[in-house]
């Protein structure tokens, strides 16, 4: 599988649509890669967090309520590694310090090696059991099958089935989160609409009194 072309994370307009459900919340959000920046002479892709209005079923169109810069990522394609700097915590799996570059994925490891620790829980590292190639989201991707506290598959360019930063599907008890969809393209092509929209022409005349008004 080392012969497979490397599949990068930092693809312009790549979207990870995340769905989380707990006993008290329904959380719909996405990460999107958009634009470049430089930190300490190193070039990164900017990673934005998009917060959506809660909706069920979780399918397009997604109504975006707020967007902000969450962090930056970069691919070391030669060594098949992904690095990230998070500017704030993430509730669903990212366990490394913020504001410092961290190794997020290492797809060069061999069976018996431990994976990068940003996505392990407590004292339970993921140990690589085997590697193979999976066809995931329209590409053949090197896949790490890990064992440990929870077994999972980690795909080049994607992360796991729990998203770019997810560690497992289970938060606590029956609470869950997972990657609902991965899409490359502008927001509108991925089914995202803005919370501010023009009202359609109604054809009805409206009069206001008094005119002018002071309040």
């Amino acid at each position: 599988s080392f012969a497979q072309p490397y599949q990068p994370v930092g693809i312009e307009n790549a979207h990870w649509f995340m769905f989380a459900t707990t006993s008290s919340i329904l959380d719909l959000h996405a990460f999107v890669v958009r634009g470049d920046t430089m930190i300490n002479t190193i070039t990164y892709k900017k990673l934005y967090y998009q917060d959506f209005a809660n909706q069920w079923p979780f399918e397009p169109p997604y109504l975006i309520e707020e967007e902000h810069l969450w962090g930056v990522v970069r691919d070391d394609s030669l060594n098949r590694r992904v690095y990230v700097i998070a500017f704030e915590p993430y509730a669903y799996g990212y366990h490394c310090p913020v504001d410092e570059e961290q190794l997020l994925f290492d797809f060069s490891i061999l069976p018996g090696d431990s994976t990068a620790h940003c996505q392990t829980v407590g004292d339970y590292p993921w140990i690589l059991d085997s590697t193979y190639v999976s066809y995931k989201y329209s590409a053949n991707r090197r896949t790490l099958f890990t064992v440990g506290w929870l077994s999972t598959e980690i795909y080049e360019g994607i992360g796991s089935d729990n998203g770019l930063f997810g560690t497992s599907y289970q938060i606590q008890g029956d609470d869950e989160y997972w990657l609902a969809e991965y899409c490359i393209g502008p927001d509108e092509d991925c089914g995202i609409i803005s919370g501010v929209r023009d009202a359609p022409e109604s054809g009805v005349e409206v009069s206001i009194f008094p005119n002018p008004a002071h309040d």
Side-chain angles (χ1 to χ4, degrees), residues 105-186:
F105 298 119
D106 186 351
F107 289 96
S108 70
I109 61 175
L110 299 173
D113 294 338
S114 60
T115 63
H117 68 281
C118 287
Q119 299 196 308
T120 59
V121 180
D123 296 325
Y124 301 95
W126 286 347
I127 305 299
L128 181 61
D129 176 83
S130 57
T131 66
Y132 39 86
V133 175
S134 301
Y135 189 75
K136 193 80 171 177
Y137 294 110
S138 304
N140 289 316
R141 303 176 187 276
R142 179 171 168 82
T143 303
L144 309 181
F145 178 69
T146 66
V147 293
W149 184 57
L150 289 170
S151 298
T152 194
E153 290 179 308
I154 306 173
Y155 313 100
E156 269 189 354
I158 300 294
S160 73
D161 288 326
N162 307 107
L164 187 58
F165 300 104
T167 49
S168 73
Y169 70 92
Q170 196 171 47
I171 304 171
Q172 183 177 1
D174 294 329
D175 300 340
E176 299 177 343
Y177 65 100
W178 61 88
L179 177 64
E181 184 59 59
Y182 173 79
C183 174
I184 299 175

Side-chain angles (χ1 to χ4, degrees), residues 14-74:
H15 292 74
W16 289 260
F17 291 90
M18 297 301 304
F19 173 47
T21 176
T22 74
S23 58
S24 59
I25 65 168
L26 180 68
D27 187 1
L28 312 176
H29 61 275
F31 288 100
V32 56
V33 175
R34 187 180 295 130
D36 302 305
T37 190
M38 186 170 287
I39 301 176
N40 296 328
T41 71
I42 299 175
T43 301
Y44 293 86
K45 299 294 291 185
K46 292 187 282 189
L47 191 64
Y48 289 86
Y49 184 100
Q50 297 177 318
D51 193 21
F52 300 131
N54 291 342
Q55 62 189 65
W56 185 260
F58 185 40
E59 58 186 29
Y62 309 109
L63 177 62
I64 189 169
E65 293 187 323
E66 188 266 341
E67 176 181 296
H68 65 271
L69 183 64
W70 183 86
V72 294
V73 296
R74 71 176 178 93

Side-chain angles (χ1 to χ4, degrees), residues 62-114:
Y62 309 109
L63 177 62
I64 189 169
E65 293 187 323
E66 188 266 341
E67 176 181 296
H68 65 271
L69 183 64
W70 183 86
V72 294
V73 296
R74 71 176 178 93
D75 290 279
D76 179 354
S77 300
L78 182 63
N79 293 304
R80 305 183 90 108
R81 293 173 179 168
V82 181
Y83 294 88
V84 63
I85 302 177
F87 298 153
E88 64 184 40
Y90 181 53
Y92 305 116
Y94 185 77
H95 297 283
C96 276
V98 300
D99 297 323
E100 301 174 11
E101 185 180 78
Q102 305 290 338
L103 177 62
L104 184 63
F105 298 119
D106 186 351
F107 289 96
S108 70
I109 61 175
L110 299 173
D113 294 338
S114 60

